[in-house]
Amino acid sequence: AQKVTQAQTEISVVEKEDVTLDCVYETRDTTYYLFWYKQPPSGELVFLIRRNSFDEQNEISGRYSWNFQKSTSSFNFTITASQVVDSAVYFCALSERGAGANSKLTFGKGITLSVRP
Amino acid sequence: DVKVTQSSRYLVKRTGEKVFLECVQDMDHENMFWYRQDPGLGLRLIYFSYDVKMKEKGDIPEGYSVSREKKERFSLILESASTNQTSMYLCASSEGQVYNSPLHFGNGTRLTVT
């Protein structure tokens, strides 16, 4: 069975600090996708990034970067020079192709990030 | 931008009432989903639909049903609301397969059952 573990439940940092959100996954499939979503206080989850299991290149988007390592089954998310607007709950998710018309998407329990001014 | 609209932001209902949560998306997406979000439990899938009138159970379908009569609208029905259904309900849609398609979420409906 697939599983996503976000061991950190709450993180608090001061503005301009760098922060890394950890995500560890378990799957028996060789083909799968990983996602990160952000849920600000307004409540709407927003898609941040998707990575497939064959693409281990790290990705950088502005202050955000993602480190995908199949060897450790991890897909960690780093925010550089954090800002108050980064305060949110962040979810990591894993999807595998299912037997039927659609596959199963599993979310981690989320990490609450608080950035203090 | 994809817009997923949930009809109510907050709802308060009494135990035993029949409750309808409505969700509309404007991007002609095939797939629509209902999740509930609870502290410490993350997001759990209740039902999803991959086409009009088609539905599949998710991880926690008990006590819920769904309706998808039109492609853009996906309704979640609590046949007889109970206090353990007090939660945040999130609707989402996606294009193509769940396997590799990002989900687009609505703002959520916070339901309280008293």
Side-chain angles (χ1 to χ4, degrees):
Chain A
Q2 60 187 66
K3 187 176 174 183
V4 176
T5 302
Q6 296 182 262
Q8 305 149 309
T9 53
E10 295 185 17
I11 301 175
S12 182
V13 299
V14 177
E15 212 170 14
K16 298 184 183 175
E17 280 187 43
D18 298 348
V19 58
T20 295
L21 311 181
D22 297 334
C23 174
V24 174
Y25 62 92
E26 294 177 29
T27 178
R28 294 180 182 174
D29 274 14
T30 56
T31 305
Y32 51 88
Y33 277 78
L34 294 160
F35 302 81
W36 275 95
Y37 289 86
K38 173 183 179 180
Q39 185 180 35
S42 60
E44 179 179 339
L45 274 85
V46 176
F47 163 71
L48 294 178
I49 190 171
R50 171 184 60 191
R51 174 67 75 228
N52 76 54
S53 52
F54 297 109
D55 182 2
E56 285 195 73
Q57 268 194 321
N58 291 333
E59 177 142 347
I60 299 174
S61 176
R63 296 184 296 107
Y64 294 174
S65 62
W66 290 268
N67 181 10
F68 177 30
Q69 292 197 336
K70 287 178 75 170
S71 60
T72 56
S73 296
S74 65
F75 186 42
N76 297 336
F77 173 28
T78 297
I79 302 174
T80 303
S82 59
Q83 299 177 3
V84 172
V85 293
D86 296 325
S87 296
V89 183
Y90 291 87
F91 292 93
C92 180
L94 164 71
S95 74
E96 301 169 330
R97 185 186 294 280
N102 284 282
S103 65
K104 182 176 170 63
L105 177 66
T106 299
F107 283 86
K109 290 185 167 52
I111 301 170
T112 301
L113 173 65
S114 299
V115 181
R116 309 186 306 276
Chain B
D1 271 356
V2 176
K3 186 72 174 174
V4 178
T5 303
Q6 295 183 231
S7 55
S8 303
R9 191 81 170 99
Y10 299 95
L11 272 181
V12 180
K13 297 292 182 180
R14 293 193 181 276
T15 301
E17 277 192 77
K18 190 169 186 176
V19 181
F20 293 86
L21 303 184
E22 306 287 348
C23 175
V24 176
Q25 51 97 0
D26 66 358
M27 283 301 290
D28 204 37
H29 283 173
E30 294 89 352
N31 305 313
M32 295 189 75
F33 307 82
W34 276 105
Y35 286 88
R36 66 177 279 178
Q37 181 178 9
D38 300 288
L41 296 177
L43 274 73
R44 294 178 292 167
L45 180 65
I46 305 171
Y47 268 99
F48 73 96
S49 169
Y50 51 91
D51 202 349
V52 175
K53 297 191 188 295
M54 306 303 288
K55 62 185 179 185
E56 286 201 19
K57 293 180 180 179
D59 298 319
I60 51 165
E62 296 78 20
Y64 304 94
S65 62
V66 291
S67 172
R68 192 163 181 205
E69 297 296 320
K70 294 185 178 181
K71 192 173 186 180
E72 67 271 17
R73 186 179 296 272
F74 192 36
S75 303
L76 179 69
I77 304 155
L78 286 66
E79 297 291 341
S80 177
S82 64
T83 54
N84 64 12
Q85 292 178 310
T86 292
S87 186
M88 170 71 91
Y89 290 88
L90 296 167
C91 176
S93 71
S94 73
E95 189 177 26
Q97 296 292 315
V98 169
Y99 174 59
N100 59 14
S101 301
L103 297 180
H104 301 267
F105 285 87
N107 278 347
T109 296
R110 187 167 293 282
L111 173 67
T112 302
V113 182
T114 62

